[in-house]
Amino acid sequence: MTPPSRTRPPFVSDERTQLVGWFDMQRAIVHYKCEGLSDADAHRSVLPGSPLMTMAGIVSHLRWTEQCWFEVLFLGRPADGPQFAGRRGDGPEDLDMMVEGVPLARLLEEYKRQCAVSDEIIAAHPLDEAGRHPDFTSAAASLRWMVLHMVEETARHAGHMDTIRELLDGEKGYY
């Protein structure tokens, strides 16, 4: 699997190019933080207060968060991912981070595919268009708001990955 390019958006460009550019940069950092990591380390918890906060768990969470915001909340598709299990009462909270035994390479590939789906959705709609899901208040947000939120969400978790990776094997670096 070829990791995504870690390229910042142009200094001067239209809003969509800059939004998507920064979003892509943060997504690429997620892949970068996982480079050379063993499956054992990807699933190893190093934060005692957050046992599900593993590299593998974060990758899975980000994959399902992309699906939630762009497919479910924005397009109005059924809320059928593991992140909804607690809400439906048929599973625990944070099920999207429970990936013990799932190879990191598979999680990264699923994340990459989900990002491609999200990119198609973002490209096909105006940034001012609001989401459609009738059961979630957050669906009233514009696509612009959702993309900005996902830049924040992805960057926040990339920061978690910085810390986790350093604790796992001493690797540091932004890009």
Side-chain angles (χ1 to χ4, degrees):
M1 176 184 75
T2 305
S5 172
R6 295 185 303 271
T7 307
R8 290 179 176 175
F11 289 134
V12 178
S13 60
D14 64 276
E15 178 185 20
R16 183 180 293 270
T17 299
Q18 289 189 0
L19 277 173
V20 172
W22 280 111
F23 193 16
D24 286 344
M25 174 72 168
Q26 296 307 311
R27 290 161 158 175
I29 290 170
V30 169
H31 286 268
Y32 169 64
K33 288 294 158 184
C34 294
E35 286 179 12
L37 199 59
S38 70
D39 278 331
D41 279 346
H43 290 86
R44 188 159 53 105
S45 176
V46 294
L47 303 173
S50 300
L52 296 177
M53 188 73 73
T54 64
M55 298 293 272
I58 292 170
V59 172
S60 177
H61 169 73
L62 287 171
R63 175 257 194 258
W64 288 107
T65 301
E66 292 252 354
Q67 185 257 2
C68 172
W69 280 98
F70 298 114
E71 291 189 60
V72 177
L73 298 176
F74 185 73
L75 292 182
R77 292 179 181 162
D80 60 1
Q83 71 278 30
F84 297 108
R87 185 174 200 266
R88 289 188 309 257
D90 62 355
E93 294 278 330
D94 300 322
L95 185 61
D96 59 331
M97 295 184 83
M98 296 178 188
V99 292
E100 190 61 40
V102 181
L104 180 60
R106 177 175 147 198
L107 294 168
L108 286 167
E109 184 57 38
E110 290 173 354
Y111 177 51
K112 189 176 179 180
R113 280 196 309 267
Q114 187 65 55
C115 289
V117 170
S118 298
D119 287 346
E120 288 177 11
I121 294 167
I122 294 165
H125 296 272
L127 292 172
D128 291 331
E129 187 175 333
R132 300 186 186 118
H133 205 291
D135 299 334
F136 297 92
T137 305
S138 298
S142 69
L143 180 59
R144 175 185 292 99
W145 190 98
M146 291 182 188
V147 173
L148 283 167
H149 169 66
M150 284 304 299
V151 170
E152 175 269 331
E153 175 90 4
T154 307
R156 185 167 51 91
H157 286 306
H160 293 137
M161 294 174 95
D162 281 334
T163 301
I164 293 168
R165 183 66 190 256
E166 187 173 346
L167 291 169
L168 286 170
D169 63 9
E171 282 291 319
K172 296 187 260 183
Y174 175 62
Y175 66 100

